[in-house]
Amino acid sequence: MRRHGDADRERIEIELLLEGMYKVYGYDFRDYAYPSLKRRIWHQVYAEQLASISELQGKVLYNRDYVQRLVHTLSIPVTEMFRDPKMYAAFRDKVVPLLRTYPYIRIWHAGCSTGEEVYSMAILLQEEGLYEKARLYATDMNPVVLQKAKEGRCSLDKMRLYTTNYLEAGGKRSFSEYYNAAEDGSVIFHPSLRKNIIFSDHNLATDMSFNEFNVILCRNVMIYFNDALRDRVHRLFCESLAPLGVLVLGSKESIHFTDCESHYEEVDRVEKIYRKIR
């Protein structure tokens, strides 16, 4: 059992590790929620068969392979096609009619991970006849998952779940129309889905807005941030949304009790869809 002094030293080790990652590589995890951060750092220490966080720090500062593995662990790349299908059904019903009134649609998927939810939106827009006038900007701070997203490749054994999600989300065709099976046991999404997606590196903790958007989706990302970083990201999104722009959050996230709450009205309270009104 660690004594109080051990806990203090542990926190210092973690702070030094995070400060080093930021100053050397530009990855900023300093305002992530501490309990989850600590748990994942120790997971990486054990995975690398190291003795301490300080030893991990030394490896990270001098070996880019170590930092990439740690970034992958800390950035929590969890996603799936049509994740939370009822949100996509609500988006079809309540947001698509608004998008039909625009001559051009810009959508930002912030924290896109390996891209499944971006391709889900591309499918939805294609079925609603809106994809040709849309641009989807998919960003993440993790270069490994971003590369996977660009490839548009998924494991074949996930297709049963993804097909179920697609149908529950209001899919209008056969889900198998959107991908082809590859010889290595994966599937590749059809190139027509990728042509209007722009993949790019972006760090929500440090980077600024880069466009004005009609829709921003950032789902199940901010649950890992502390209050200060969460407020920063909400301000970033509010500044990045066009008038009447739509913000879509994850099921455990909300704009309530943030500085930006007064700028929005609820479109769907349950599915966490909000519209910017001021």
Side-chain angles (χ1 to χ4, degrees):
M1 181 180 295
R2 292 189 178 91
R3 300 184 301 275
H4 178 68
D6 293 329
D8 291 342
R9 284 190 288 271
E10 177 187 61
R11 185 146 198 154
I12 292 170
E13 284 185 306
I14 290 174
E15 289 173 354
L16 289 172
L17 170 64
L18 300 180
E19 192 69 24
M21 289 178 66
Y22 174 63
K23 288 185 175 180
V24 176
Y25 301 104
Y27 294 119
D28 193 353
F29 291 95
R30 295 172 299 175
D31 285 322
Y32 276 52
Y34 183 74
S36 174
L37 196 65
K38 180 179 73 172
R39 184 171 61 251
R40 290 179 179 276
I41 288 172
W42 275 113
H43 171 82
Q44 196 65 24
V45 169
Y46 299 141
E48 303 286 1
Q49 298 183 326
L50 303 175
S52 67
I53 294 173
S54 291
E55 189 175 352
L56 177 63
Q57 178 191 1
K59 298 288 187 181
V60 163
L61 292 181
Y62 294 100
N63 189 320
R64 185 170 286 274
D65 289 340
Y66 277 89
V67 76
Q68 294 298 351
R69 291 197 292 269
L70 182 56
V71 167
H72 188 75
T73 296
L74 298 184
S75 57
I76 315 167
V78 178
T79 187
E80 64 185 44
M81 294 293 295
F82 293 95
R83 186 181 189 184
D84 302 323
K86 290 182 180 178
M87 188 286 293
Y88 287 91
F91 192 95
R92 283 185 192 265
D93 183 45
K94 299 178 179 180
V95 179
V96 164
L98 177 65
L99 299 183
R100 292 193 191 283
T101 67
Y102 297 152
Y104 191 81
I105 303 166
R106 288 183 295 272
I107 298 177
W108 179 15
H109 282 261
C112 70
S113 188
T114 47
E116 281 86 338
E117 294 178 69
V118 185
Y119 289 105
S120 300
M121 182 58 64
I123 290 171
L124 186 154
L125 294 173
Q126 195 173 92
E127 292 186 352
E128 297 297 334
L130 297 174
Y131 190 61
E132 290 305 315
K133 65 175 183 177
R135 288 296 182 274
L136 281 63
Y137 297 81
T139 66
D140 203 282
M141 65 170 291
N142 184 336
V144 176
V145 299
L146 199 59
Q147 180 57 40
K148 290 182 179 179
K150 291 178 183 179
E151 295 170 358
R153 189 182 295 266
C154 286
S155 173
L156 181 61
D157 60 15
K158 295 180 179 179
M159 289 303 108
R160 180 175 294 181
L161 169 63
Y162 290 176
T163 299
T164 299
N165 286 355
Y166 167 74
L167 294 173
E168 292 179 0
K172 297 181 177 180
R173 302 176 189 168
S174 169
F175 185 59
S176 60
E177 294 180 23
Y178 295 108
Y179 62 84
N180 295 310
E183 294 181 357
D184 62 358
S186 67
V187 302
I188 302 174
F189 292 113
H190 197 277
S192 65
L193 297 176
R194 294 200 300 271
K195 69 175 184 176
N196 288 352
I197 302 177
I198 300 167
F199 294 97
S200 181
D201 176 80
H202 186 275
N203 190 332
L204 291 172
T206 56
D207 295 338
M208 304 302 292
S209 177
F210 58 94
N211 211 324
E212 184 179 68
F213 299 96
N214 305 111
V215 179
I216 296 176
L217 300 100
C218 184
R219 307 184 64 240
N220 306 301
V221 174
M222 286 188 281
I223 56 174
Y224 302 107
F225 297 168
N226 67 16
D227 290 343
L229 180 54
R230 195 176 297 117
D231 286 343
R232 179 199 190 278
V233 175
H234 273 295
R235 289 193 297 271
L236 172 65
F237 290 161
C238 194
E239 293 166 1
S240 301
L241 277 171
L244 299 182
V246 172
L247 175 65
V248 184
L249 302 177
S251 59
K252 297 180 181 179
E253 299 163 331
S254 174
I255 50 98
H256 298 310
F257 307 110
T258 70
D259 294 340
C260 299
E261 179 178 3
S262 63
H263 291 273
Y264 296 94
E265 66 178 8
E266 289 182 339
V267 174
D268 191 301
R269 179 180 59 83
V270 174
E271 301 306 328
K272 306 300 175 68
I273 303 175
Y274 308 94
R275 179 165 46 215
K276 182 180 175 182
I277 57 174
R278 62 173 64 89

